[in-house]
Every structure is written in structure tokens, then in C-alpha cells.
Amino acid sequence: MRRLLIPIAFVLAWPAMAAQPLYREIKDFVVACDNGGACRALGLAQEDGGNPLLLDLHRDAGPSGKATLRLSAARRFAARDLRVDGKTSTVSALPWRDAGDANGGALELQDPNAIAKFVDLARNAGAITIGRGQDSANLSLSGFSAALLLVDETQGRIGNETAWLRRGAKPASAVPAAGALPALPPPPKSAALSRAQATSLIAAVRRQQSKLIAGEECDTSNPDLSPDSAYALSGDEALVLLNCFNGAYQSASLGFRIDRAGRGPARRLVLQAPIRTGDNDGRIDYFTNADYDPASATLSHAAKGRGLGDCGEAASWRFDGREFRLASYAYLGRCSGADPGDWPTLFRSAGR
């Protein structure tokens, strides 16, 4: 049976322009670029303990790609609290916007000139800190410059006036345009399964796939397992999700496609992922916290790397009447105190 812990990913491709998703860990930073060319550099230094200060630098692709820089911590803080290598710095004088709330503190920069100034002040530094002593929150800048260079290269900004690290005289208009996002078809319409039909299909799949289920070491005796489920995919076919395992904070299911009448063989569901991790080869055949929405024909999967939810994988696929097509994918392999909303997007489709 596959482990629910999501390991570090390996890049399938490192393109000059982001047509394929990119994920790379560089010292204390993560670089993630999606299929449209939008990139994020995440400063995630602390594995466990301490009070992490997180940096999230996002930039859209294209000549006028919007950029945002965000520093966040578990407690509220002000720009005057920022120190670079333990010393007061002019980084505090940048036009920060207070973006904190009841759940923690955050400062943001959205002006591209201010972000470029931050980069110039921090690129050769060792750390950024807020507070002092036990109340301090720290961000290691090890890998920051390399992460910025990778973003610039991926977006075609090397030698351009818009580059973060290696600027040049080329105008912004020379930056390649953002990649086109795939459009998804409208969901097919079909009559829902009756309760009796769903029960019959679940039983049929369990009979047909008993050896496979046993090979996956599924625990079918646990009374706390969420119930199996079945959904209509089309007028001829159904999706069956068989719960296989419940952990402390999530469950996992095997997916199958079968004729709605239960006459044909049940085929195990194996779906595309845009990157491969140490636990798969770019495919997902074990669905965590799986759910299917018949109205949108969307199957979703969200696997936490640990209970905190500071790392993991989330994906969704749209059924087009014949196949499931990847609609979205987010991944963070490093568990460093981030929130699930911080998992960077590596694949998106038009309208999502």
C-alpha cells in the first residue's frame, strides 16, 4: 500500500520557458512554476520547532507579469521589526502593506520597484529576522539568489530590465508571453445512480478486484473507514471509490471505472500528475480524501504530508465524457510550517 506521506518531488523538465511545471528545492527555498509560466520562490527554512518567518515571492509570466512579495509569521509584526543579518536595514522603509489577520502577521509588497529593492538588499544576506530572543522569527536566505535566478531563467528574463537577479538592458516587451492554459470541456450530463445501483456496483468491484485490494493491503475490517461510493460518469459508465485506509487525519481510496450495468470488467483508475514524486512516476492511482462532484464531473484528491497540513499534494480532474483530464495540481514537498493554501500551484486550466 502506498504511504500517505508525500516525499520530495523531482522535476520532469526544466524548460527555458515554462510549458511544463517545474519544482525544485534549493537549500532553504522552493521554486515552483506552473504550466502557464507563473512562478513562486518560497523561503521555508525551518523543518520543526522555532518560529518560522516565511517568504513567498510570486510572479506571473509575460512582459507585464504581476509580482507580489509576502513575509508571514505566526504573530503580528510591523515593518520596523525587520532586521537583515541581525541589523536594522532600509528594508523596513519599503512601502509594506500590513496583510496580517487574527491568525498571524504578514507584510506585502506589490510595487515592482520596491520588490526589486528588497531583492537588492537581501540577495547577499544570510537571514531576515523579526523580534528578539525566544519571540524572534527567522528566515534563512540560503538559496535565495539561486531561486531568483531560476525564476528569471524560466520566465525568459535573463538580461531583461524586469529580471530580479541578472538584469540587463532588454525592454520588458522582450519577455516571452505567458503560456496558454488548457481549456476543459463542459461536464457531461447523465442520470444519477440509484442507491441500489451504487450498492450493486460497489459489491461487483470488490468481487472482481479482491486480489488487487488484498495486494494493496487495504484494511476493510476497520469500522471507522468512510463508506465506499459510486457515481455516474455517463449514461454507460460509473466511477467507484473503494476506501482502503484511514490514518489519523485522512483516508485513502482506490478508484475504478465500470459499466453502469455491472456487466463489464472494473478498470483501476490511474490519472495524470504533472510531476513525479518519489512515490509515483507522474501518475496517481491512490486517491486521498477523494471526492467526486457529479455536477462539475470533477474528481478531487488532497493528501497532507503530515497532520499540520504544511506539505502535501492536491489535484483535480474533469471527466470529459471519455477520460479524466487534469484540471489543477498543487504540491509542496517540504514540511516547514506553511499552510495548505501555501502549496504552490504547478498546473492550472482556463477558468480555474
Side-chain angles (χ1 to χ4, degrees):
M1 182 178 67
R2 295 188 182 277
R3 295 177 291 108
L4 296 183
L5 182 64
I6 304 299
I8 293 174
F10 301 93
V11 181
L12 284 182
W14 181 11
M17 271 302 296
Q20 295 290 326
L22 178 152
Y23 180 93
R24 179 173 291 186
E25 296 187 6
I26 306 174
K27 296 183 179 179
D28 291 326
F29 275 76
V30 168
V31 175
C33 299
D34 69 20
N35 58 315
C39 291
R40 289 172 71 183
L42 299 171
L44 302 164
Q46 301 236 357
E47 285 285 335
D48 288 292
N51 298 309
L53 177 65
L54 307 180
L55 184 151
D56 185 350
L57 184 50
H58 173 273
R59 188 177 223 173
D60 291 334
S64 59
K66 180 181 177 181
T68 302
L69 188 152
R70 180 183 178 94
L71 291 171
S72 59
R75 64 176 181 81
R76 297 297 293 267
F77 62 99
R80 64 178 178 272
D81 300 324
L82 293 172
R83 300 193 309 282
V84 178
D85 288 337
K87 301 176 182 178
T88 302
S89 168
T90 53
V91 72
S92 298
L94 297 175
W96 296 99
R97 182 181 74 88
D98 186 351
D101 55 28
N103 297 317
L107 295 175
E108 283 188 354
L109 292 175
Q110 296 183 340
D111 177 73
N113 293 325
I115 293 174
K117 182 65 174 176
F118 177 93
V119 168
D120 291 341
L121 292 168
R123 58 188 290 180
N124 295 317
I128 293 179
T129 306
I130 59 171
R132 298 181 184 278
Q134 292 183 345
D135 293 330
S136 65
N138 306 288
L139 169 69
S140 166
L141 293 173
S142 179
F144 182 48
S145 291
L148 296 177
L149 183 61
L150 179 54
V151 171
D152 282 342
E153 183 169 355
T154 301
Q155 294 189 331
R157 299 183 190 276
I158 299 294
N160 193 276
E161 64 182 7
T162 67
W164 278 333
L165 198 76
R166 195 173 295 172
R167 299 183 192 120
K170 295 179 184 178
S173 59
V175 175
L181 299 178
L184 297 177
K189 295 182 179 180
S190 61
L193 299 175
S194 67
R195 181 174 298 182
Q197 287 175 315
T199 299
S200 177
L201 288 173
I202 290 168
V205 173
R206 283 206 171 273
R207 285 194 304 271
Q208 287 189 29
Q209 298 292 343
S210 58
K211 289 185 179 179
L212 186 152
I213 294 168
E216 292 290 339
E217 300 179 4
C218 290
D219 181 2
T220 58
S221 64
N222 188 342
D224 294 328
L225 278 175
S226 300
D228 298 334
S229 54
Y231 306 90
L233 288 178
S234 65
D236 301 317
E237 196 174 14
L239 169 69
V240 174
L241 296 173
L242 301 182
N243 272 279
C244 185
F245 175 77
N246 257 14
Y249 46 84
Q250 57 193 0
S251 62
S253 301
L254 304 177
F256 298 89
R257 294 172 63 172
I258 188 170
D259 181 277
R260 282 182 63 148
R263 292 187 296 265
R267 296 177 293 150
R268 185 170 182 179
L269 191 63
V270 179
L271 297 180
Q272 174 192 3
I275 64 172
R276 69 176 184 267
T277 70
D279 218 22
N280 65 50
D281 58 356
R283 304 177 305 161
I284 296 175
D285 56 8
Y286 207 80
F287 302 93
T288 305
N289 291 342
D291 185 50
Y292 183 73
D293 176 26
S296 62
T298 299
L299 174 65
S300 60
H301 153 85
K304 295 180 182 179
R306 62 180 182 176
L308 292 175
D310 57 348
C311 54
E313 172 187 71
S316 66
W317 300 265
R318 166 78 60 82
F319 186 68
D320 65 3
R322 297 182 61 187
E323 300 295 338
F324 282 92
R325 295 173 56 181
L326 185 64
S328 65
Y329 184 88
Y331 176 83
L332 183 59
R334 177 174 290 179
C335 304
S336 305
D339 293 324
D342 294 326
W343 300 356
T345 295
L346 297 179
F347 187 93
R348 55 198 169 103
S349 49
R352 297 184 71 89

